[in-house]
Amino acid sequence: FFALLIGLGACKKDKYQPVGDYPEMSSQISTISSWTYSAPRYIGIIANSEMTQDVLDNGAVIVYASTGTNTWSQLPVTFYQSASYSTTLEVVNLLGNVNIYWTDSDLTQPNTPPTMSFKVVVFTPKMLLENPNINFKDILEVEKIISKY
């Protein structure tokens, strides 16, 4: 029983143990001014070389949209223009890119989205291990953790 318990503990640690050297986590502010329409939404692309397969598989990528002066909202986020009409911003993380999707609730082609700023925060697996209780919704907490590295 004791040997089985030790063996199970070792397996669990291996699952979350980082392999190799990881770069520090980073925060990148990017502006999207050129959106491409692909029904039923617009797509804005942020190139990011830190979007490696290892980060996609074992890390975390959090994206915030600037919603005013020094104000950031974590994606996905929905803005309500009226009681019956809204716009949703979503994020899809891909190898080498972060795609932002702008979709209106009526699923018809809206006006081209405005120029917007986004903060992309990349956490490597190592950083997640060292900070297991991160509140990703609190950008001040995220920035405090980033500043440690």
Side-chain angles (χ1 to χ4, degrees):
F1 175 75
F2 185 73
L4 177 63
L5 188 60
I6 290 174
L8 288 175
C11 290
K12 186 174 182 182
K13 286 181 184 175
D14 289 344
K15 180 178 178 185
Y16 299 104
Q17 188 66 31
V19 178
D21 294 324
Y22 294 95
E24 296 174 351
M25 67 181 146
S26 69
S27 174
Q28 164 191 336
I29 296 178
S30 298
T31 300
I32 297 176
S33 57
S34 177
W35 297 85
T36 303
Y37 186 71
S38 178
R41 63 185 158 246
Y42 277 96
I43 302 171
I45 299 173
I46 300 170
N48 188 318
S49 62
E50 293 179 354
M51 298 298 295
T52 63
Q53 193 63 51
D54 192 40
V55 167
L56 292 173
D57 291 344
N58 303 302
V61 180
I62 310 301
V63 179
Y64 302 90
S66 176
T67 53
T69 304
N70 296 321
T71 306
W72 298 89
S73 294
Q74 183 182 0
L75 271 58
V77 65
T78 300
F79 301 101
Y80 294 91
Q81 286 83 5
S82 70
S84 62
Y85 191 76
S86 64
T87 298
T88 299
L89 294 173
E90 300 172 279
V91 62
V92 174
N93 299 314
L94 303 168
L95 193 61
N97 289 327
V98 174
N99 289 359
I100 308 296
Y101 293 160
W102 174 292
T103 309
D104 283 356
S105 58
D106 63 3
L107 300 178
T108 62
Q109 184 171 355
N111 293 332
T112 304
T115 297
M116 291 188 70
S117 294
F118 297 90
K119 185 176 285 195
V120 178
V121 182
V122 177
F123 287 87
T124 64
K126 178 182 176 185
M127 298 299 125
L128 292 177
L129 276 172
E130 292 176 356
N131 301 281
N133 299 314
I134 301 168
N135 177 5
F136 290 111
K137 292 181 181 181
D138 183 350
I139 193 165
L140 296 176
E141 180 179 330
V142 169
E143 288 179 341
K144 182 178 175 185
I145 291 169
I146 290 172
S147 69
K148 294 189 316 186
Y149 295 94

